[in-house]
C-alpha cells in the first residue's frame, strides 16, 4: 500500500495541509525537499493529490531486495552524499552498520494497571516515573478538570522529565539502571518533594541513592499492535535526497553536548528518543493499546490518558478529548477549553500560565472489552485520523 500511495498519490488531509504551509522556507533549503515536497513551488491544498514517485521507486527496491537495498548500495550512497553536502559526518558505512533491535518492554503497575513502555533510549521511562509519583496521591477524589489534579500532574511530570533529562541515553551509557529509576521507593521520595498548594523548586537531576504518526490495531484474535513513527520536527531536518526521495529525520537533536553526560553526542550512540507506543495491561491481558503523538509531550500524554481512563473512569473518546496541559521551562502551557476556575487555581498555586498556540499532542487508542467481546476505538479530534472497525 505504501508503494501504491507514493506512486499514484494520496489526498492531503486538512490538518496536514494547514501545517504544511508553515514549512515552506525550511523545505526550500534542500533541493530534494523542494523537488518532492513543494509541488509547483508551493504547498498542496486540502484535498490535492500528492505523488512521490522517487520514494515509490525506493520502496519498490526495498520490497524486492529487503533492508539491504536501503542500507547498502545506491540508495545508501545517495543518502550519504546528500548529507555530506550539508556537512554531516554520516557515511555509507554507517548506514551499512545499522541494526534494529528487539527489546524487552519496561512497565510499572499503577492502581492495578500495568503500563508497558519501550525502554531507553526512548523516553517511555518518563511516563512510568511520573505515574509512580502520582500513585502516592488520591487523584480519584479530585475534580478531573480541577486545579488540584492538574497541579499535581504537572509537578509530578516536572520530576519525571528531570529524571529523563538526567539519565536516559543509549542503554550501555546509562549510569543508573532503569529498575532503580522505576523503583516505587524512589518515587515516594520524589513525591515527598511536591507541595499540593503551590509550585515549588524541584531537583534538576533527581537520582536514587517531538511530525509523528501513531496507529494502533487489534485483530479478531485480540493481538494488539501499538506503533509509532516519526521524523521528529515537521519534515525532520527538511533535507531530502533528489534521486531517491528520502527525507531525513532530525533525531540527532535529542543528544546533548555537555561533556560527561550519558546522552552526550558520540560514536555508535543513539540519542534520547521521544517516540513511545504504549499498552495498558490488566491481569496479563491487554486492556488498552494507545499512543500520543507530540514529541516531548508524549509521556505527559500517556499520564493524562491513564489518569483520565483509570482514575476518573472516562470512556476512551472522552479521555482523548479532555483538555491538556504541559510545561515549557518555567511556563505552564494550557489548551483552550481548560475551565477558567482551573486556570485561576493554577495561577494561585504559582503557575505562570501560557495558552498553547496549537493543540497538545494527538492520541489514538483501542480498549478491549473482554467480557462483552467488543473493541472500543477513540481518535484524536486535534489531528487527522479516525477510529475504524471492519
Amino acid at each position: 500500500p505504501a508503494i501504491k500511495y507514493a506512486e499514484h498519490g494520496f489526498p492531503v488531509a486538512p490538518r496536514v495541509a494547514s501545517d504544511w504551509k508553515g514549512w515552506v522556507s525550511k523545505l526550500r533549503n534542500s533541493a530534494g525537499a523542494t523537488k518532492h515536497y513543494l509541488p509547483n513551488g508551493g504547498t498542496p491544498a486540502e484535498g490535492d493529490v500528492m505523488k512521490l514517485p522517487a520514494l515509490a521507486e525506493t520502496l519498490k527496491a526495498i520490497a524486492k531486495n529487503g533492508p539491504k537495498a536501503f542500507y547498502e548500495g545506491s540508495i545508501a550512497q545517495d543518502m550519504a552524499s546528500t548529507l555530506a553536502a550539508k556537512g554531516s559526518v554520516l557515511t555509507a558505512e554507517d548506514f551499512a552498520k545499522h541494526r534494529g533491535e528487539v527489546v524487552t518492554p519496561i512497565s510499572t503497575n499503577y492502581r492495578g494497571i500495568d503500563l508497558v513502555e519501550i525502554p531507553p533510549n526512548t523516553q517511555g521511562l518518563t511516563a512510568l516515573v511520573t505515574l509512580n509519583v502520582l500513585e502516592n496521591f488520591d487523584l480519584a477524589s479530585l475534580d478531573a478538570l480541577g486545579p488540584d489534579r492538574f497541579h499535581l500532574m504537572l509537578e509530578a511530570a516536572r520530576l519525571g522529565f528531570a529524571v529523563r533529562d538526567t539519565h536516559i541515553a543509549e542503554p550501555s551509557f546509562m549510569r543508573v539502571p532503569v529498575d532503580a529509576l522505576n523503583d516505587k521507593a524512589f518515587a515516594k521520595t520524589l513525591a515527598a518533594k511536591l507541595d499540593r498548594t503551590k509550585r515549588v523548586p524541584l531537583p534538576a537531576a533527581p537520582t536514587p541513592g517531538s511530525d509523528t504518526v501513531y496507529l494502533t490495531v487489534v485483530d479478531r484474535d485480540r493481538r494488539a499492535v501499538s506503533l509509532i513513527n516519526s521524523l521528529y520536527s515537521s519534515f525532520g531536518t527538511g533535507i531530502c535526497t533528489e534521486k531517491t526521495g528520502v527525507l531525513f529525520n532530525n533525531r540527532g537533536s535529542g543528544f546533548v553536548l555537555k561533556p560527561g553526560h550519558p546522552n552526550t553526542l558520540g560514536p555508535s550512540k543513539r540519542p534520547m528518543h521521544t517516540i513511545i507506543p504504549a499498552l495498558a495491561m490488566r491481569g496479563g491481558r491487554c486492556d488498552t493499546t494507545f499512543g500520543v503523538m507530540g514529541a516531548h509531550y508524549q509521556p505527559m500524554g500517556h499520564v493524562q490518558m491513564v489518569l483520565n481512563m483509570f482514575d476518573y473512569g472516562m470512556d476512551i473518546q472522552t479521555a482523548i478529548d479532555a483538555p491538556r496541559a504541559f510545561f515549557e521551562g518555567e511556563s505552564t502551557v494550557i489548551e483552550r477549553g481548560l475551565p477558567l476556575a482551573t486556570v485561576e487555581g493554577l495561577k494561585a498555586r504559582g503557575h505562570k500560565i501560557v495558552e498553547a498556540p496549537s493543540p497538545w499532542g494527538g492520541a489514538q487508542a483501542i480498549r478491549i472489552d473482554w467480557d462483552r467481546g467488543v473493541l472500543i476505538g477513540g481518535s484524536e479530534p486535534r489531528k487527522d485520523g479516525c477510529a475504524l472497525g471492519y
Side-chain angles (χ1 to χ4, degrees), residues 12-21 46 358-359 361 381-384:
V12 176
R15 175 66 191 269
V16 171
S18 175
D19 290 346
W20 208 318
K21 295 175 185 175
E46 176 186 337
S358 58
R382 297 163 178 85
K383 290 181 176 287
D384 306 310

Side-chain angles (χ1 to χ4, degrees), residues 54-67:
L55 187 60
E57 294 304 311
T58 296
L59 295 172
K60 287 178 183 178
I62 296 168
K64 182 179 179 180
N65 298 312

